[in-house]
Amino acid sequence: MKISIIEDRIGRLEQYADFDLKSYKSVSIITGSEFDTLVNSLKINDTSILDQFECIASHRSAFSTEVRDTLKDYCRSKRKPLIFFSGGITSSVIKDVEFPFLHINSRDFYSENLKLFIEKFEENSNINLLVLQFGRKWKLSLLLNLRNYLAVAINKQVIKTQIPNAQIDESEIIKRVRDLKINEVIKSDLLNEKTEKTLSGNEFNLVSIDEIKQIKQILDRLILEIA
């Protein structure tokens, strides 16, 4: 099981990475002639060379738009994590709808977070792009984002109850368990005797304002413990 790093400018890796990236057996750096071979394969939609990797990280500008689309289509079909890094990316953005997909600045990519990301992968064979994006505070970031989302949703629900004619976007109201948008990575942290029935049930089950508040209370406690 390996992570591929596709880098057409090896000097950038040597400039930014302050640890010996090449020493990790779980990492395969594709550059030079191997990079040329990969590009030629992707140009004819031959992605078989990528099947050996659990995660693909690539310099975004190394490929044309067409080749990038081929790479994205491949990762989408395999549900395989994809990382695009570039000096032109100013802030990291992660999406996990069709497949895990992270955009990140090159300097941030080759940071200490990459070392932690690789070591976590070697420990448990799990690809967690949040570790690469946020480092050791990745779980805190998830908890904070969820708490903010629930706080806004609770406020809108209260306004709707108190002022029936208030202009509230219905898409912003939490009605069912699925609307809680809880990442599976932190779901187990939110389970207790009060929330287990809600979070362990069908995602289409209705969820009450009281149940949402119970989850937020757990979040508040967890954030205090971690921060």
Side-chain angles (χ1 to χ4, degrees):
M1 298 176 69
K2 284 194 171 187
I3 298 169
S4 72
I5 297 180
I6 304 168
E7 177 60 272
D8 59 326
R9 301 177 188 172
I10 197 66
R12 173 177 36 215
L13 182 157
E14 295 169 347
Q15 176 187 359
Y16 290 152
D18 59 359
F19 60 97
D20 189 4
L21 184 56
K22 297 176 183 178
S23 68
Y24 288 93
K25 295 181 179 180
S26 64
V27 176
S28 178
I29 300 172
I30 300 177
T31 192
S33 60
E34 290 182 342
F35 171 78
D36 294 334
T37 299
L38 173 63
V39 171
N40 291 332
S41 295
L42 294 179
K43 282 182 178 179
I44 58 173
N45 290 315
D46 179 6
T47 58
S48 58
I49 194 172
L50 300 174
D51 290 341
Q52 60 186 301
F53 304 116
E54 296 299 311
C55 175
I56 299 166
S58 173
H59 176 215
R60 187 180 184 277
S61 302
F63 298 129
S64 65
T65 300
E66 291 75 16
V67 173
R68 286 201 299 269
D69 287 343
T70 297
L71 190 56
K72 286 189 285 188
D73 288 342
Y74 168 79
C75 290
R76 183 181 294 109
S77 66
K78 302 288 186 177
R79 284 288 301 172
K80 186 172 291 189
L82 174 63
I83 302 157
F84 276 159
F85 57 89
S86 172
I89 297 174
T90 56
S91 59
S92 60
V93 178
I94 192 168
K95 297 180 180 179
D96 194 2
V97 180
E98 298 176 306
F99 64 102
F101 189 16
L102 173 65
H103 281 79
I104 190 169
N105 180 269
S106 296
R107 189 182 295 273
D108 294 332
F109 174 73
Y110 286 120
S111 70
E112 189 70 16
N113 287 355
L114 177 58
K115 183 174 183 288
L116 180 63
F117 171 71
I118 295 169
E119 290 173 351
K120 290 292 184 183
F121 171 67
E122 292 185 343
E123 285 176 13
N124 53 36
S125 301
N126 180 48
I127 295 292
N128 187 347
L129 297 186
L130 292 166
V131 173
L132 182 56
Q133 186 180 24
F134 297 111
R136 298 186 187 280
K137 293 289 187 179
W138 67 270
K139 183 173 285 190
L140 177 61
S141 178
L142 274 184
L143 296 173
L144 286 170
N145 287 337
L146 179 58
R147 183 177 69 174
N148 291 341
Y149 169 68
L150 295 185
V152 170
I154 290 171
N155 186 52
K156 290 181 181 296
Q157 191 79 295
V158 170
I159 292 174
K160 184 178 180 182
T161 301
Q162 296 178 347
I163 311 173
N165 295 325
Q167 297 297 313
I168 301 293
D169 188 342
E170 286 296 320
S171 65
E172 298 177 343
I173 299 296
I174 295 176
K175 299 177 181 178
R176 301 183 183 277
V177 172
R178 64 182 299 181
D179 299 331
L180 293 167
K181 299 179 181 179
I182 296 175
N183 191 300
E184 290 296 323
V185 177
I186 60 171
K187 181 177 284 187
S188 60
D189 295 312
L190 303 176
L191 292 174
N192 66 14
E193 65 278 2
K194 292 182 179 180
T195 63
E196 185 172 8
K197 182 178 179 181
T198 303
L199 299 180
S200 300
N202 190 297
E203 65 173 0
F204 292 101
N205 288 345
L206 295 174
V207 60
S208 69
I209 187 69
D210 288 336
E211 289 173 314
I212 299 172
K213 288 180 178 179
Q214 286 173 352
I215 295 170
K216 184 178 176 298
Q217 287 175 359
I218 297 175
L219 281 168
D220 290 337
R221 189 191 71 247
L222 287 172
I223 289 169
L224 283 175
E225 293 175 352
I226 296 176

